[in-house]
């Protein structure tokens, strides 16, 4: 089914089609994202708006459409794929980073709001993933990368383990402890 994550009506129609074909969804994976790069002060307004619309508003739309039914049924899982950029600062990726910070904060807050409902929420925090998104981008030496299959596996595992945060690769979770020190 066709889906424009930036349009709530599109998300509603998409999930309606899924429900008609397979029944109510038990899992929603919000994984749309774009990553325009460049100095913050030079970024065009339209690029900023589109980045926020896809990376943040898309997640909000998905959660606002899927969560009411999940909460009503007393079960379900939402995995919001953000990025380790939610916890790092990389010059040239200010707006992208801001959207990933926002997805992490949104997920943490909504998790608290629906606690006890039977619905779990996970933020998936992959390092740079070897996909078209990074194609042609010169990456700083030593920056960890991962494969899309590893992100998919970690996201699928989050449905069963309900962890609040999932880092890919897993050792990136140590960043929190290092940053706190």
């Amino acid at each position: 089914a066709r889906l424009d994550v930036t349009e709530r009506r599109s998300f509603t129609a998409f999930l309606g089609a899924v429900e008609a074909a397979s029944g109510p969804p038990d899992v929603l994976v919000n994984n749309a994202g774009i990553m325009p790069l460049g100095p913050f002060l030079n970024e065009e307004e339209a690029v900023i708006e589109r980045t926020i619309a896809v990376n943040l508003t898309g997640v909000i739309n998905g959660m606002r459409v899927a969560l009411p039914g999940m909460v009503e049924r007393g079960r379900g899982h939402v995995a919001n794929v953000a990025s380790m950029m939610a916890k790092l600062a990389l010059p040239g990726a200010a707006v992208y980073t801001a959207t990933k910070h926002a997805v992490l904060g949104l997920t943490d807050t909504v998790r608290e709001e629906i606690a006890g409902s039977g619905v779990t929420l996970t933020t998936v925090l992959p390092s740079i993933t070897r996909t078209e998104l990074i194609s042609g981008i010169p990456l700083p030496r030593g920056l960890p990368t991962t494969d899309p299959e590893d992100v998919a596996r970690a996201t699928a595992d989050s449905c069963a383990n309900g962890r609040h945060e999932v880092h890919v690769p897993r050792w990136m979770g140590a960043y929190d402890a290092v940053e706190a020190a």
Side-chain angles (χ1 to χ4, degrees):
R2 219 173 137 72
L3 172 59
D4 177 351
V5 298
T6 69
E7 296 292 331
R8 185 159 177 192
R9 285 185 314 258
S10 180
F11 227 123
T12 300
F14 173 78
L15 284 182
V18 167
E19 189 164 339
S22 305
D26 290 322
V27 175
L28 171 68
V29 177
N30 280 312
N31 188 39
I34 60 174
M35 189 175 67
L37 299 175
F40 175 71
L41 294 177
N42 296 344
E43 234 174 334
E44 293 183 23
E45 196 65 31
V47 171
I48 291 170
E49 290 172 6
R50 182 73 179 154
T51 304
I52 293 169
V54 172
N55 295 2
L56 177 58
T57 304
V59 172
I60 291 170
N61 287 337
M63 290 174 66
R64 300 249 324 150
V65 172
L67 278 176
M70 290 179 178
V71 169
E72 184 178 305
R73 290 186 303 278
R75 69 179 189 284
H77 181 73
V78 175
N80 292 326
V81 180
S83 167
M84 271 308 289
M85 296 298 289
K87 297 184 175 195
L88 304 171
L90 181 64
V95 175
Y96 175 82
T97 299
T99 63
K100 299 310 177 175
H101 277 284
V103 167
L104 178 59
L106 173 72
T107 308
D108 287 348
T109 303
V110 174
R111 182 185 308 108
E112 292 297 319
E113 289 181 6
I114 65 169
S117 70
V119 180
T120 54
L121 280 78
T122 298
T123 307
V124 180
L125 301 161
S127 62
I128 293 176
T129 307
R130 292 181 283 273
T131 66
E132 290 260 339
L133 188 68
I134 65 161
S135 157
I137 297 172
L139 300 175
R141 186 181 174 120
L143 205 58
T145 60
T146 192
D147 290 314
E149 296 80 12
D150 295 330
V151 178
R153 191 172 15 268
T155 303
D157 289 349
S158 79
C159 297
N161 65 34
R163 292 182 50 173
H164 293 184
E165 290 184 11
V166 174
H167 299 83
V168 186
R170 191 174 192 154
W171 64 264
M172 290 291 292
Y175 177 80
D176 291 339
V178 171
E179 183 67 14

